[in-house]
Amino acid sequence: RRVHGDTHIFSIMTTYKLTYFNGRGLGELARLVFAAAGVEFEDVRIEMDQWPALKTSLPLPFKQVPILETKGQVIAQSNTIARYLAREFNLYPTDNSQIAREEMILDGLADVNTAFMRSRYEDDSTRKQTFLDKALNEVVPRILTGLEGQLEANNGGNGFFVGDSLTLADLALQVFIYNNFVTENRMETLESVAPKLKALYDRVVEVPNVKRWLAMRPQTAW
């Protein structure tokens, strides 16, 4: 069956329908939350040549993807979707102090990712390299060192970011490291700057449901 593109359906009775391009991008964290929780969902993947037509026919609150359709509601914005799903599936703290720690980590990861994205989407080669140098030499050491400090403050840094079990912050770290370090052959840089974050990444990818998703997901360029 095809729905707006290549669709991977994991249940006949789908409660959750996630629509995004056929790439990891801004949709992968939500997919990873579904996988970690063991929850079935409809994974709708749009090919780029289909997007102009679908942009006017899909229920897009902000004329962009990803969107999540569930319980008669359309939810937009990738971070909102991921946090909604994490709360739905008990992958988010409930204590207000722990929520603050969780969101501080998520926002820190978003800041580093933004620094990399400035370089990735810059067309001018000189500016592209300038942005990348700033990301690697200034933003990465500053924020990843801080994130490692947050990890170490939780049981010595040998478990997860918040509490005693996997949460959205750990999954977001996996997506961030894979996209910005694994695919770019920068893992030595990561290990030299924040070895405990590298160790946490290694733990997360070995979580059985996460490991299963990483092995079965469509292989895409981005």
Side-chain angles (χ1 to χ4, degrees):
R1 180 185 173 192
R2 291 175 65 85
V3 182
H4 307 319
D6 293 330
T7 305
H8 304 265
I9 300 176
F10 300 93
S11 172
I12 295 174
M13 298 298 293
T14 303
T15 303
Y16 300 95
K17 179 178 178 180
L18 181 72
T19 301
Y20 187 61
F21 296 112
N22 187 24
R24 297 183 307 276
L26 297 176
E28 193 62 16
L29 182 54
R31 296 177 185 134
L32 194 57
V33 173
F34 280 122
V39 173
E40 299 169 340
F41 73 107
E42 187 175 352
D43 185 15
V44 181
R45 292 171 177 257
I46 301 170
E47 299 299 339
M48 287 298 183
D49 61 355
Q50 299 170 315
W51 176 236
L54 292 174
K55 193 173 184 179
T56 59
S57 62
L58 288 172
L60 305 174
F62 303 123
K63 302 303 178 186
Q64 62 190 25
V65 287
I67 57 167
L68 175 69
E69 296 174 74
T70 183
K71 304 175 184 178
Q73 183 179 13
V74 178
I75 303 171
Q77 299 293 343
S78 57
N79 291 332
T80 299
I81 292 169
R83 294 182 194 201
Y84 170 84
L85 293 173
R87 288 192 295 268
E88 284 278 285
F89 307 146
N90 298 316
L91 290 168
Y92 212 77
T94 55
D95 173 79
N96 203 35
S97 294
Q98 288 196 328
I99 290 172
R101 174 187 288 271
E102 179 93 358
E103 295 185 348
M104 176 170 59
I105 293 163
L106 290 168
D107 291 345
L109 287 168
D111 284 349
V112 193
N113 195 58
T114 297
F116 279 120
M117 296 289 277
R118 289 190 71 188
S119 172
R120 187 168 296 145
Y121 292 108
E122 174 58 55
D123 293 327
D124 180 84
S125 59
T126 300
R127 286 169 57 82
K128 188 180 190 73
Q129 188 60 49
T130 298
F131 289 146
L132 180 59
D133 289 344
K134 181 174 182 179
L136 290 172
N137 299 326
E138 298 179 26
V139 183
V140 163
R142 174 171 59 84
I143 294 185
L144 294 196
T145 299
L147 290 174
E148 187 164 76
Q150 293 300 312
L151 178 61
E152 290 175 332
N154 187 40
N155 300 319
N158 297 314
F160 299 101
F161 267 130
V162 180
D164 299 322
S165 60
L166 186 77
T167 68
L168 180 64
D170 306 301
L171 298 173
L173 179 78
Q174 190 282 328
V175 173
F176 165 76
I177 289 179
Y178 186 84
N179 287 342
N180 294 294
F181 289 88
V182 174
T183 62
E184 302 293 337
N185 297 313
R186 296 180 185 134
M187 290 302 278
E188 288 186 6
T189 299
L190 175 66
E191 191 145 25
S192 68
V193 173
K196 289 205 169 184
L197 292 187
K198 164 65 165 55
L200 175 55
Y201 171 86
D202 292 338
R203 289 194 294 277
V204 172
V205 298
E206 289 299 320
V207 172
N209 280 353
V210 172
K211 187 173 184 177
R212 189 176 303 114
W213 170 254
L214 296 178
M216 69 173 283
R217 70 182 178 183
Q219 297 302 305
T220 58
W222 53 274

